[in-house]
Amino acid sequence: MTAQPHEHLTAAVLRPVRGHHAFEGCVEQLATAIRLGVYPVGSLLPPERELAERLAVSRATLREAIAALRQAGLVETRRGRGGGSSVTSQARGRFTGGLAKVSAATKAEWLDALEFRRVVEPGAAHLAASHDLGDVDRDRLAASEEAVHQATGKRAHRQADSRLHLTIASLSGSSLLQEAVTSVQSTLDSMLGAIPALEPNIGHSHRQHRLICRAIVDGRPDRARKVMEDHCDDTAALLRGLLG
């Protein structure tokens, strides 16, 4: 017998996505609904049109989010009449396996790191953009950003990403900020290592990196801070949704 979704709870967990974080917001809300059992193993997600309307996103964005859930092993999709996306049996293990072995203290540390990052990394970007950078620093920033774009493989990409964020922190000129960003990137590395590398998110991340670096080079502190805040928010949304 096919499991049935708890339709009366849909309105409680699926709400219009706010701001510019449509993809990440969709992934977060749908993954949370699966994790909390609103859509049990074997149940079908609502039709794309209904989900897109409820989340207030385009169907193209919704399809990207469902593709990310497939990549994470949470749903499988059948095309054609009678098809749709259903919650896989892997989903139960996804949320009760490796993560269940993580201590409550570690989970609390991870969530705290996301809040801490939201403060220190935008601050580092703001400060870096406030300085009149020389050619060497500009070239170092451009090379770090390009290295992320060119990296292949999950581990290589993650390391290149960390190096870019550490480079931005170094351009702030504050040793305490560099220490703080190093600490939060170390924790972030553990968290991101527990989820799959999602192509739509990587694409969004590349675009945000480019905007951040451009704002720093152009000497636009407020712009650098705002884009970095968006970048941190998007990553946090994915991690809260997929890690729980």
Side-chain angles (χ1 to χ4, degrees):
M1 182 177 176
T2 302
Q4 297 299 312
H6 298 277
E7 298 288 359
H8 64 289
L9 296 177
T10 297
V13 296
L14 299 182
R15 300 168 302 281
V17 176
R18 297 177 179 177
H20 303 293
H21 321 292
F23 165 75
E24 289 82 3
C26 285
V27 172
E28 178 185 16
Q29 291 198 39
L30 290 171
T32 298
I34 293 170
R35 186 177 73 252
L36 297 180
V38 174
Y39 300 109
V41 171
S43 67
L44 281 172
L45 298 184
E48 284 185 358
R49 178 178 296 177
E50 179 183 332
L51 279 178
E53 290 177 355
R54 183 172 290 280
L55 294 168
V57 298
S58 69
R59 293 181 72 172
T61 296
L62 178 66
R63 289 184 187 120
E64 277 193 331
I66 291 176
L69 296 178
R70 278 199 304 273
Q71 193 174 348
L74 299 183
V75 303
E76 56 187 7
T77 303
R78 296 192 310 276
R79 301 298 178 189
R81 190 171 184 177
S85 295
S86 59
V87 179
T88 68
S89 58
Q90 297 177 45
R92 184 185 293 114
R94 182 72 187 79
F95 292 122
T96 61
L99 188 62
K101 299 175 184 177
V102 176
S103 69
T106 297
K107 291 180 185 178
E109 178 187 336
W110 283 2
L111 292 175
D112 186 49
L114 295 179
E115 299 291 345
F116 185 52
R117 185 191 189 209
R118 181 58 160 69
V119 176
V120 298
E121 295 224 33
H126 183 278
L127 196 52
S130 300
H131 298 318
D132 185 13
L133 301 181
D135 291 341
V136 172
D137 286 337
R138 289 168 180 260
D139 290 345
R140 189 154 55 96
L141 180 62
S144 297
E145 191 272 326
E146 182 62 22
V148 183
H149 193 74
Q150 297 297 329
T152 57
K154 181 179 178 179
R155 189 64 198 149
H157 183 273
R158 177 84 277 278
Q159 290 176 332
D161 191 292
S162 289
R163 288 193 296 269
L164 172 60
H165 285 268
L166 294 173
T167 297
I168 292 171
S170 73
L171 295 178
S172 74
S174 167
S175 59
L176 289 178
L177 263 179
Q178 292 175 58
E179 181 180 344
V181 173
T182 299
S183 173
V184 80
Q185 280 290 322
S186 177
T187 304
L188 191 66
D189 184 71
S190 298
M191 299 175 76
L192 289 171
I195 68 171
L198 305 176
E199 289 301 325
N201 176 249
I202 290 174
H204 294 171
S205 180
H206 286 329
R207 289 190 289 275
Q208 289 172 331
H209 284 160
R210 190 142 292 174
L211 292 173
I212 292 165
C213 292
R214 184 180 302 159
I216 291 172
V217 169
D218 291 347
R220 301 175 62 193
D222 291 341
R223 172 66 172 166
R225 183 198 297 274
K226 178 62 171 67
V227 182
M228 184 66 87
E229 285 175 346
D230 290 344
H231 183 54
C232 292
D233 287 344
D234 288 350
T235 303
L238 281 182
L239 288 168
R240 283 193 297 264
L242 294 178
L243 290 179

